[in-house]
Amino acid sequence: MGSLPAERTDVLRRNNVTVSGNPAGRPMVFAHGFGCSQEVWRMVAPQFAEDYRVILFDHVGAGGSDVSAYDTGKYDSIDGYASDVLEILAELDLQDVVYVGHSVSSMIGVVAASRDSSRFGALVLVGPSPRYINEGEYVGGFDRADITALLDNLDLNYLGWSSQMAPAIMGNPDRPELGDELTTSFCRIDPMIASQFARVTFLSDNRADLAAVVTPTLVLQCTDDLIAPTPVGEYVHEHIAGSTLVRLEATGHVPNLSSPDEVAREIRSFLA
Amino acid sequence: MTVADDAPAAVPDAAVVPGMQDSYEEFYLNAPCGLLTMAPNGTVTHINDTLLGMTGRERRDVVGASFTRLLTVGSQMFFETRFQPILRLQGEIREVAIALSCADGSSLPVLLNAVVVADGNGQPRVIRTAIFDSTVRQDYEREMLAARRSAEASEVRVRALQDASIAFGGATGEEELAEALVSSARSTFSASNSAVVLLGDDGELSVVAGVNPLGDALSLQELVPMASVLELSPVTSIGVDGVDASTAAIRAALAAARQHTVTVTPLVDRDVPIGVLLCFFGRERDLGDQFSSLQQALARQAAQTLTRMRLRAQLEQLALYDRLTGLATRKLLEERLAVALESGTPMALVFLDLDGFKGVNDHLGHTTGDAVLRVVADRLRSVVRAEDVVGRFGGDEFVVICAETTSVNAMVVAQRIAAEIRLPMDGIDPAFPITASVGVAVYTPASSDVSAAELFRLADGAMYASKRAGGNRVSVFGA
């Protein structure tokens, strides 16, 4: 998929926005989750290029974004990331957008659409979780101690000597189709930013935002997703009025990489 | 025990030294590291004895189950969010630090390498991993991490206070100081918004710098619990999750503005509250003692700087404005005259000395004399333009600087001054009439090149001409 950079305004440069696909098509915006970059959509997004205008971007701190735009106050909540999404939609003047968000970006989409639904036509939430920590009746899947262990684990990998995981920039002889240019921005994340983004991702509570969604919504729930277990997907479905819940055969938390065809098929069938 | 089909079979190797054979199978099973193969979906297909020994698990419980079941919860999350995407995209990862969950409930820190083996079509076929016990190393690493975090926390504190001290010191006014406090609070605390609210002379609160996201929903009086500020309480924190009825309106406003928490830190000048620092947070945060003590330290530093600034401003005010009449002092007059001359436009200096003032002082007392001076000051202020500067030169001498004016207009102003002063004054015995001897010096940039001191001397000379002529009149120099 050739990416045609739009005019590089500040917003588009900040979020490394790329526009491709059918210029006359309905816009479909893909948002990556914690731990990766827009690369995570590389097997799904091209499947829509023929009839959709495909927009990909990186959150600030990830991939090819402008790290100098990182503001620890703004990006200390989902809301700051949602502001960027709204700015991208406005900058490209998109209407009737199909917003496809993976993991934390599904909640970023929920917050953006509940703040201003005017440019949204559909929300596709892949593995959403509005709250990871169990609380009273609510089952998020994790105790606070689990989250603390995860944050330690991340810091060990990002900040410790085994920081291979952080830049993760290396050639890949098995996949020559990945050119050098792509490989260098491969899920690249700034370690300090990743550390804060992990806290925003796993410590936020956005349950209250679900009820405010008026955009037609598809929830894609994987089988055996440890990060967003089935009861969480059901919770999201129950709290977004009129939403559709589809259980994927794909296992794990990253169906966009493990079962891209199934993900694309379900998105198409929802939009049909 | 059978080794599953993907594992290499024992192959005789002709090149080995006789008697030193080690079959591939033996080597696989007992390699000096854990070896595990899984399907692309994470289902374990093979595991060697070394890894079973490390985890205390049985082969039958592991093979056919998900690899994630061998991991602690924290490592499972890491595996799913970071490990998997990278492995999928990159085909390989090395030296990932994770923890295995052992049969006895303990956890074992390991380092893991993984490689994706693709089939002929480039599709992933299996994932091979090698796993090394890294207990000693990771204990050390964890200690390093803990040390690093605590060093970073104290570095944040020191740097915040240092940066703030530089920024505050460089501020030239209250607004700049408030801006510096806002920017330092935002970056130090990762606050989504911050605002400095100061108590004005009128007792009203106003936002001097920063953004108050609740501004549309609440008045500052509703937001800032002045009682707590007045009681000099330390940091007050109000979160959307609170239940206290007294903060219900604030909590509703926070929710509407998509803020989770606001903290209110008093700015105090030696036990007198002068305002507050507001910090807003977009999500639930751990606002522990260290956090609030740093907020207090920053607030204290800012308040002290603000106090120094105000004292300096007061001193300047004292030097520039006459305490009795509120008019400009000689110092301020000289400054303003220099500015007016520099502007290079025509201007006039009006100099006046009261006639009969000594009699009032001698016979009616100095208190009455002071009252006369105040009336004169009020009258002067009432007859000049807003842009003119009225000053008390000393004793009963007054000066008016009329910027950008012509000699004709200056004359009109001088006549008006003389007429205004000679009007009777309420409460002053008419037997002691007050009038003014007025002198005017006009400056035209084209025709003359005079200094401020010279212009004063010329106006003073013109005033003496009026005095010598019997007072209560206007004389002009250089018309």
Side-chain angles (χ1 to χ4, degrees):
Chain A
M1 177 180 48
S3 51
L4 291 170
E7 229 180 292
R8 302 300 265 175
T9 60
D10 287 349
V11 169
L12 302 183
R13 195 165 38 240
R14 178 188 67 196
N15 285 103
N16 190 28
V17 178
T18 59
V19 181
S20 60
N22 184 343
R26 183 180 183 186
M28 189 177 284
V29 175
F30 291 92
H32 69 84
F34 168 77
C36 206
S37 66
Q38 58 182 270
E39 283 304 304
V40 82
W41 293 110
R42 67 192 323 273
M43 298 190 227
V44 175
Q47 304 197 28
F48 292 92
E50 199 175 315
D51 44 353
Y52 284 83
R53 190 173 174 207
V54 173
I55 293 105
L56 289 154
F57 72 96
D58 294 322
H59 290 303
V60 172
S65 65
D66 177 6
V67 178
S68 71
Y70 195 76
D71 175 313
T72 57
K74 173 178 175 183
Y75 296 112
D76 194 52
S77 70
I78 299 279
D79 203 43
Y81 289 96
S83 297
D84 285 0
V85 168
L86 290 172
E87 284 174 25
I88 292 167
L89 303 193
E91 190 72 29
L92 294 173
D93 195 19
L94 305 178
Q95 305 296 338
D96 195 28
V97 169
V98 180
Y99 174 95
V100 185
H102 175 227
S103 197
V104 66
S105 273
S106 58
M107 294 318 298
I108 291 169
V110 162
V111 170
S114 63
R115 274 169 56 182
D116 178 5
S117 65
S118 63
R119 294 181 185 275
F120 289 89
L123 287 178
V124 178
L125 313 180
V126 184
S129 174
R131 173 68 164 166
Y132 288 93
I133 300 174
N134 302 324
E135 211 173 297
E137 298 280 287
Y138 175 79
V139 179
F142 298 94
D143 292 328
R144 204 166 269 275
D146 297 332
I147 303 290
T148 307
L150 165 74
L151 297 175
D152 282 356
N153 213 317
L154 286 170
D155 285 355
L156 272 177
N157 278 289
Y158 291 142
L159 307 175
W161 65 270
S162 56
S163 57
Q164 283 267 348
M165 290 297 282
I169 302 166
M170 54 174 72
N172 186 356
D174 295 341
R175 309 275 298 270
E177 73 273 18
L178 304 180
D180 282 348
E181 195 183 330
L182 278 183
T183 341
T184 50
S185 68
F186 230 14
C187 290
R188 180 172 55 194
I189 42 185
D190 178 286
M192 297 307 287
I193 295 176
S195 184
Q196 193 184 7
F197 192 20
R199 283 158 178 79
V200 171
T201 300
F202 294 107
L203 296 173
S204 286
D205 184 352
N206 291 94
R207 284 175 288 173
D209 294 303
L210 299 174
V213 174
V214 294
T215 309
T217 300
L218 169 66
V219 177
L220 292 181
Q221 174 66 47
C222 289
T223 306
D224 295 332
D225 185 347
L226 289 165
I227 303 295
T230 303
V232 175
E234 286 167 351
Y235 181 95
V236 172
H237 166 55
E238 282 161 21
H239 287 79
I240 298 182
S243 62
T244 304
L245 174 68
V246 169
R247 290 181 175 78
L248 299 178
E249 284 173 28
T251 55
H253 186 60
V254 199
N256 29 0
L257 286 174
S258 65
S259 302
D261 296 347
E262 189 187 12
V263 170
R265 193 169 61 239
E266 291 301 341
I267 295 175
R268 267 195 196 284
S269 120
F270 176 71
L271 297 174
Chain B
M1 182 169 53
T2 56
V3 175
D5 55 21
D6 188 56
V11 176
D13 192 332
V16 297
V17 178
M20 297 294 286
Q21 287 92 339
D22 186 12
S23 74
Y24 285 129
E25 178 176 343
E26 272 297 299
F27 181 72
Y28 174 81
L29 289 172
N30 300 301
C33 68
L35 297 172
L36 178 145
T37 307
M38 60 183 125
N41 69 1
T43 305
V44 176
T45 57
H46 307 88
I47 181 169
N48 74 350
D49 291 354
T50 313
L51 188 52
L52 289 172
M54 282 160 75
T55 56
R57 293 189 183 271
E58 301 287 338
R59 176 169 278 108
R60 62 170 178 278
D61 296 334
V62 176
V63 173
S66 171
F67 172 66
T68 51
R69 290 191 42 204
L70 286 177
L71 302 178
T72 62
V73 177
S75 292
Q76 287 174 351
M77 299 180 80
F78 181 73
F79 181 84
E80 292 289 347
T81 56
R82 182 73 179 152
F83 181 110
Q84 279 280 38
I86 301 257
L87 185 60
R88 292 264 176 193
L89 288 168
Q90 196 166 261
E92 161 176 60
I93 50 176
R94 287 171 187 276
E95 295 180 340
V96 180
I98 54 171
L100 297 179
S101 164
C102 300
D104 63 3
S106 63
S107 72
L108 178 71
V110 295
L111 289 175
L112 177 149
N113 287 353
V115 60
V116 178
V117 181
D119 63 17
N121 300 321
Q123 292 303 309
R125 187 165 61 87
V126 292
I127 299 166
R128 291 184 185 145
T129 63
I131 295 171
F132 303 84
D133 183 335
S134 66
T135 311
V136 178
R137 201 162 192 166
Q138 277 203 30
D139 282 352
Y140 177 64
E141 280 257 303
R142 273 180 197 278
E143 279 169 33
M144 294 272 282
L145 179 63
R148 177 176 174 150
R149 282 180 179 163
S150 109
E152 274 173 2
S154 54
E155 192 210 339
V156 162
R157 184 183 173 88
V158 170
R159 202 180 43 220
L161 292 172
Q162 239 169 23
D163 290 354
S165 138
I166 293 167
F168 295 171
T172 55
E174 290 196 9
E175 223 165 280
E176 257 184 65
L177 173 70
E179 293 287 356
L181 178 56
V182 162
S183 108
S184 131
R186 279 202 72 228
S187 62
T188 305
F189 306 118
S190 294
S192 62
N193 286 292
S194 174
V196 169
V197 176
L198 293 181
L199 200 55
D201 294 335
D202 52 3
E204 292 290 315
L205 295 167
S206 60
V207 174
V208 180
V211 174
N212 165 21
L214 313 188
D216 293 339
L218 287 177
S219 72
L220 278 172
Q221 280 67 26
E222 289 170 291
L223 171 59
V224 180
M226 267 324 274
S228 72
V229 176
L230 292 168
E231 284 162 16
L232 308 177
S233 78
V235 183
T236 310
S237 160
I238 301 163
V240 281
D241 303 337
V243 289
D244 187 354
S246 67
T247 60
I250 297 175
R251 286 184 282 117
L254 282 170
R258 314 198 61 85
Q259 303 291 319
H260 186 281
T261 301
V262 55
T263 60
V264 183
T265 313
L267 298 169
V268 178
D269 165 24
R270 282 161 305 173
D271 294 353
V272 180
I274 54 178
V276 295
L277 167 67
L278 300 176
C279 292
F280 298 88
F281 301 95
R283 66 181 168 97
E284 183 185 7
R285 290 273 299 273
D286 178 15
L287 308 174
D289 288 348
Q290 283 199 337
F291 197 91
S292 43
S293 93
L294 186 51
Q295 284 187 315
Q296 284 175 283
L298 271 182
R300 192 160 48 237
Q301 210 174 25
Q304 282 166 356
T305 313
L306 194 63
T307 304
R308 267 203 305 278
M309 243 174 212
R310 287 183 172 175
L311 280 175
R312 203 164 48 224
Q314 268 174 19
L315 287 174
E316 270 169 28
Q317 185 80 5
L318 285 178
L320 297 180
Y321 293 92
D322 177 48
R323 286 175 74 184
L324 177 66
T325 60
L327 296 179
T329 57
R330 184 192 295 217
K331 179 174 157 58
L332 181 57
L333 283 169
E334 281 165 354
E335 280 176 26
R336 291 297 169 84
L337 183 60
V339 171
L341 284 175
E342 239 168 60
S343 78
T345 51
M347 56 149 307
L349 199 63
V350 179
F351 205 111
L352 61 130
D353 184 287
L354 300 183
D355 311 316
F357 183 69
K358 189 170 183 303
V360 171
N361 253 351
D362 291 352
H363 296 98
L364 304 178
H366 285 277
T367 309
T368 310
D370 286 350
V372 167
L373 292 174
R374 275 197 291 266
V375 171
V376 169
D378 288 344
R379 290 184 179 179
L380 286 174
R381 271 192 285 255
S382 72
V383 298
V384 303
R385 302 169 305 174
E387 60 267 35
D388 297 336
V389 183
V390 181
R392 184 175 172 211
F393 202 65
D396 58 345
E397 293 174 324
F398 297 84
V399 168
V400 179
I401 301 170
C402 305
E404 294 183 37
T405 193
T406 60
S407 58
V408 176
N409 284 338
M411 203 52 206
V412 170
V413 170
Q415 296 287 6
R416 221 188 294 153
I417 287 171
E420 194 71 21
I421 305 283
R422 72 171 74 97
L423 293 174
M425 293 184 187
D426 283 347
I428 309 290
D429 187 343
F432 296 93
I434 293 290
T435 58
S437 295
V438 184
V440 180
V442 178
Y443 166 74
T444 359
S447 61
S448 55
D449 182 20
V450 293
S451 66
E454 209 167 339
L455 207 57
F456 269 115
R457 205 178 47 74
L458 294 176
D460 189 42
M463 183 276 289
Y464 267 105
S466 294
K467 194 66 100 184
R468 278 194 301 274
N472 194 13
R473 73 192 64 217
V474 177
S475 309
V476 183
F477 185 92

